Amino acid sequence: MKTNFTLMRRATVFVWLLFFIAAGAQEARPGQPIKGVIVKGGKNPGGNLLISAGGGGLFPGNTYGLDSHVGNGFNGNINLYIPFVTLNSSETNYASLGLNGGAGFFGMKKDYNPEGPVYNIAGQPAPPSLKIEIGNGSRQNGFIGEAGIQSNFSFSKFTVSPIVNLAYISSKESQFTAVQTSSVNGQTRSFETSKRIISKTDGLGIIPKLRLSYFPGRIGFFVEGSYWAGPNVKSVTTIFKPNGTPNSEGFYSIDQVMAGKYETVETKNKLNALGFNVGVVFSILSKKEYAPKNTEIVNESQAKTNNSCVCLSSPTASVQFPNVSGPSINPGGTLTIPYNPANSTKFLRVEASPHPYNSLNTGTWASIITILTNGVLSTLSPAGNPFTHTGGQNPSGRLIPFSSLNVGINTICINVKCPYSGTTCSIGCFTVMVEGPPATSSGNITTTPVCCTKFVVVPGNPHKEVLTGQVKFKMTGTVVNAKLKIVSAGGVVSYENFVQNGFTACYTMPVDISIVSNTNLPVTSSTVNGLPVYRYSVKFGCRELGPKLPVQVIPGIKIPQ
């Protein structure tokens, strides 16, 4: 209860912090135009039907994290907001209430510390080792479906959204095992000293959220804090204890170990976590929300007679990369620029013509265009930003250096102002995605072959040691963003995560070992025992001894496969 209260208190502080950020930002820039929407008589996009997609971090509560053996993770979701009540207090500042629904996924890193001790066994020449085995992957994955109430409070370009959703939360079962390996009188034995099973979770929970959105146009961005209060998660822990007490030196006999028993404890704990997400939100506007209430769109002769210029509903604008030869997009589109070191010397071309039907573009008729990159004035070539457009139906072209763009999402917006009438609006915004360099991989490892054996327990012959005829490999060295690719007899391909001083699974020879990236692509600079690919042949000498005896499992004993 104390942990849950602490999490809720932190979530409350975070919620109020977001609210004051929104309020401060709104006061700092009152009356600014909404890019992509005509301000005069227009409506803030935050109150319309919204589709959002985002992701971020997930941080489990202390008690839940420790009992379920999970650490910090990630989550992603898609949400839909449908307004059904709108309270207009002004054209850009108002409130709305509606329904929120969506679905998402999450994953938290599994982190297991054994709960059982390591037992010393009489006859061992060296201390035993303890290996942790985690079932069903290295992450606790799951998904959610949610639905509830959302209210939006819009202030100019900002929208604050309290949300309360009822959620269905589901995650897979997890199993954590601690295996002790001891060498006793020349024989290798493995024991399960502890096992913990986290049951599959399916149930209802509540997820309150607070979202702050920023709309430079129809496409906006948001940050969001949330608190997950989910269903009970059941844990079953089994601890192995040898029979009796150790001798004066703290050692058990092998007979005491074989006669040992398990002790089982069952616990329940509420799923709870804090989430922090960022993402993109799309506003679905109706026709009437584009049209100004008090502005008449006039033709060329009327504009000349009335000495007034207006923002037309069909301006000409585009973004192109690279300049001249690359693909281009229209307002509201997304342009993806793949990673290429040569991009650093290239330019992003922006073209704009705010008044395609007006041939009088000099003097009081000229339009002043401002191009923004991520909310600040763009560095342009030719120099000058804002600049005066005098080309009539021919758009003015400006170049933005690629080096001024960020890796990831960039927003390019074009604003236009008629200096005579003072009318200011936006031609539109573009999303430019800049891809970064791919992650590097490397490896330089040494593998040592070891014959695989089984410790077979049968009545009357409990200590029978049998060679399986297969080989496993001990791994040492260094690997970065890479893993082992192992091709065994018959062309069977397997992948092994690199574990310093760890062992691979058992394989039938001949075996080829190489290093590949985490996406299974070859890493040409890597070596295994000094070679790009290393082969172990059947001449290594592991052979099957028989006949095989039927395998039986005794509590407290794990038989290596």
Side-chain angles (χ1 to χ4, degrees), residues 46-183:
N48 294 281
L49 187 144
L50 304 175
I51 299 175
S52 61
L58 190 63
F59 310 97
N62 290 339
T63 302
Y64 170 68
L66 290 174
D67 286 354
S68 299
H69 297 290
V70 292
N72 297 340
F74 63 89
N75 77 100
N77 56 40
I78 298 176
N79 282 89
L80 173 67
Y81 169 66
I82 304 175
F84 57 81
V85 175
T86 300
L87 178 62
N88 286 296
S89 55
S90 70
E91 293 177 349
T92 57
N93 300 340
Y94 61 95
S96 64
L97 179 68
L99 298 177
N100 178 284
F105 62 92
F106 63 90
M108 291 177 283
K109 181 180 179 182
K110 295 180 180 178
D111 186 13
Y112 183 58
N113 294 319
E115 300 177 12
V118 179
Y119 301 107
N120 289 315
I121 304 174
Q124 64 183 28
S129 63
L130 192 67
K131 182 179 180 181
I132 307 304
E133 297 179 354
I134 300 177
N136 293 333
S138 61
R139 287 190 176 274
Q140 176 67 58
N141 296 321
F143 70 90
I144 65 170
E146 53 182 331
I149 299 295
Q150 174 176 340
S151 57
N152 285 0
F153 301 93
S154 298
F155 310 96
S156 185
K157 299 179 183 180
F158 292 89
T159 297
V160 179
S161 306
I163 305 168
V164 179
N165 281 347
L166 183 66
Y168 171 78
I169 303 176
S170 177
S171 64
K172 295 181 179 179
E173 178 185 280
S174 295
Q175 180 172 302
F176 306 89
T177 307
V179 180
Q180 173 183 330
T181 300
S182 301
S183 179

Side-chain angles (χ1 to χ4, degrees), residues 319-374:
V319 164
Q320 179 188 42
F321 185 87
N323 180 32
V324 180
S325 61
S328 63
I329 57 171
N330 295 321
T334 299
L335 178 67
T336 300
I337 303 177
Y339 174 73
N340 185 344
N343 286 342
S344 60
T345 60
K346 298 179 181 179
F347 293 88
L348 181 78
R349 183 179 182 86
V350 180
E351 292 192 348
S353 176
H355 298 287
Y357 305 117
N358 190 350
S359 61
L360 300 176
N361 279 273
T362 59
T364 60
W365 301 98
S367 300
I368 298 176
I369 295 179
T370 304
I371 299 179
L372 303 175
T373 300
N374 299 321

Side-chain angles (χ1 to χ4, degrees), residues 32 167 184 272 293 368 443 474 518 547:
Q32 295 297 313
V184 181
N272 64 89
K293 295 179 181 177
I368 298 176
K474 185 175 183 179
N518 286 332

Side-chain angles (χ1 to χ4, degrees), residues 127-420:
S129 63
L130 192 67
K131 182 179 180 181
I132 307 304
E133 297 179 354
I134 300 177
N136 293 333
S138 61
R139 287 190 176 274
Q140 176 67 58
N141 296 321
F143 70 90
I144 65 170
E146 53 182 331
I149 299 295
Q150 174 176 340
S151 57
N152 285 0
F153 301 93
S154 298
F155 310 96
S156 185
K157 299 179 183 180
F158 292 89
T159 297
V160 179
S161 306
I163 305 168
V164 179
N165 281 347
L166 183 66
Y168 171 78
I169 303 176
S170 177
S171 64
K172 295 181 179 179
E173 178 185 280
S174 295
Q175 180 172 302
F176 306 89
T177 307
V179 180
Q180 173 183 330
T181 300
S182 301
S183 179
V184 181
N185 298 326
Q187 295 178 330
T188 301
R189 298 172 173 83
S190 296
F191 308 89
E192 286 185 356
T193 58
S194 71
K195 179 183 288 186
R196 187 168 188 125
I197 298 176
I198 313 297
S199 65
K200 179 180 179 182
T201 301
D202 285 296
L204 295 177
I206 296 178
I207 304 181
K209 308 177 184 181
L210 183 66
R211 173 179 293 189
L212 173 63
S213 304
Y214 171 73
F215 288 93
R218 293 181 60 185
I219 300 176
F221 308 93
F222 72 86
V223 294
E224 178 182 272
S226 62
Y227 176 74
W228 296 30
N232 281 324
V233 180
K234 186 175 74 171
S235 303
V236 177
T237 304
T238 321
I239 305 294
F240 174 74
K241 291 188 177 181
N243 185 34
T245 58
N247 61 22
S248 59
E249 296 179 351
F251 285 76
Y252 291 91
S253 69
I254 188 62
D255 292 333
Q256 286 180 288
V257 174
M258 293 183 61
K261 296 181 180 179
Y262 281 115
E263 294 183 359
T264 300
V265 177
E266 181 178 313
T267 60
K268 289 184 178 180
N269 186 41
K270 286 280 189 183
L271 185 153
N272 64 89
L274 284 175
F276 179 78
N277 285 13
V278 297
V280 181
V281 57
F282 303 88
S283 177
I284 310 300
L285 299 162
S286 64
K287 264 188 174 180
K288 66 180 181 179
E289 287 156 356
Y290 279 111
K293 295 179 181 177
N294 302 314
T295 302
E296 181 184 4
I297 298 177
V298 294
N299 58 27
E300 178 181 339
S301 60
Q302 290 173 322
K304 182 178 179 180
T305 302
N306 297 335
N307 291 328
S308 176
C309 55
V310 298
C311 297
L312 299 180
S313 59
S314 57
T316 301
S318 66
V319 164
Q320 179 188 42
F321 185 87
N323 180 32
V324 180
S325 61
S328 63
I329 57 171
N330 295 321
T334 299
L335 178 67
T336 300
I337 303 177
Y339 174 73
N340 185 344
N343 286 342
S344 60
T345 60
K346 298 179 181 179
F347 293 88
L348 181 78
R349 183 179 182 86
V350 180
E351 292 192 348
S353 176
H355 298 287
Y357 305 117
N358 190 350
S359 61
L360 300 176
N361 279 273
T362 59
T364 60
W365 301 98
S367 300
I368 298 176
I369 295 179
T370 304
I371 299 179
L372 303 175
T373 300
N374 299 321
V376 299
L377 284 176
S378 303
T379 302
L380 297 182
S381 178
N385 192 13
F387 60 91
T388 302
H389 173 75
T390 59
Q393 299 183 34
N394 299 316
S396 295
R398 291 297 186 271
L399 302 180
I400 300 176
F402 176 83
S403 58
S404 66
L405 301 178
N406 299 327
V407 174
I409 298 176
N410 296 268
T411 303
I412 311 295
C413 292
I414 306 175
N415 287 345
V416 59
K417 179 180 180 180
C418 176
Y420 184 82

